[in-house]
Amino acid sequence: MADRGHGVDDGQEPAHGEDQDQHGDRDDRLACVPTAHRQQLLPTPAPVPVPVVRDPPSLADPADVARSLALCVAEILSGAREVDTVARWITDDVHRHLQHRAAVAARARSAARRPAGRPVIRIGSVVLGRPRAGVVEAAVVVHTRTHARAVAIRLETRGGRWRATAIGVL
């Protein structure tokens, strides 16, 4: 128990650099305050305002678009739907990606001798993030009889409507 020369002994030694300010100088104003109470006396930074991102009113609700696309993606991977049926709502890169994933899924069904059929699919929760105006990132949970998967979708406004510029199935 050391006395710091200020006549106050709280019974605790300061940790190395504990009562130094941002420039590495000792802040003598806090030396007489017990360590446990110093955080309460330090100024708190002002909260950073979160910008409100608004989409043009003519656009469809992005949650509905993400929900519909996630259902379509699940149907594509199960073999119940062709990729071309959603071509209007996805970019060329996403179209190629889904074509590849559908082909891999078809080979897996063939190897397991499972026919392509109409699966029972239920859409669960949808979570949206808006990194900037005109962009929405969505995570959609898709449930089948045996398991649940997450479908991540990035939607961007193109030509006055939402288009998926990235889709991933986890």
Side-chain angles (χ1 to χ4, degrees), residues 68-78 81 98 151 153 167 169:
S68 297
L69 272 174
L71 177 62
C72 290
V73 167
E75 290 174 346
I76 288 167
L77 296 181
S78 69
R81 178 185 290 266
L98 286 177
V151 179
I153 302 171
I167 293 180
V169 180

Side-chain angles (χ1 to χ4, degrees), residues 76-77 81 83 97-107 109:
I76 288 167
L77 296 181
R81 178 185 290 266
V83 178
H97 172 73
L98 286 177
Q99 286 281 34
H100 175 73
R101 290 287 305 260
V104 169
R107 282 193 298 273
R109 279 192 308 278

Side-chain angles (χ1 to χ4, degrees), residues 15-29:
H16 177 69
E18 182 177 38
D19 52 4
Q20 292 182 351
D21 66 11
Q22 62 189 1
H23 304 292
D25 300 328
R26 182 180 168 93
D27 188 350
D28 290 327
R29 294 172 294 166

Side-chain angles (χ1 to χ4, degrees), residues 1-5 8-19 26 31 33-36 38:
M1 296 202 293
D3 182 24
R4 293 188 199 115
V8 176
D9 185 6
D10 62 1
Q12 298 179 352
E13 283 290 324
H16 177 69
E18 182 177 38
D19 52 4
R26 182 180 168 93
V33 177
T35 306
R38 288 185 189 168

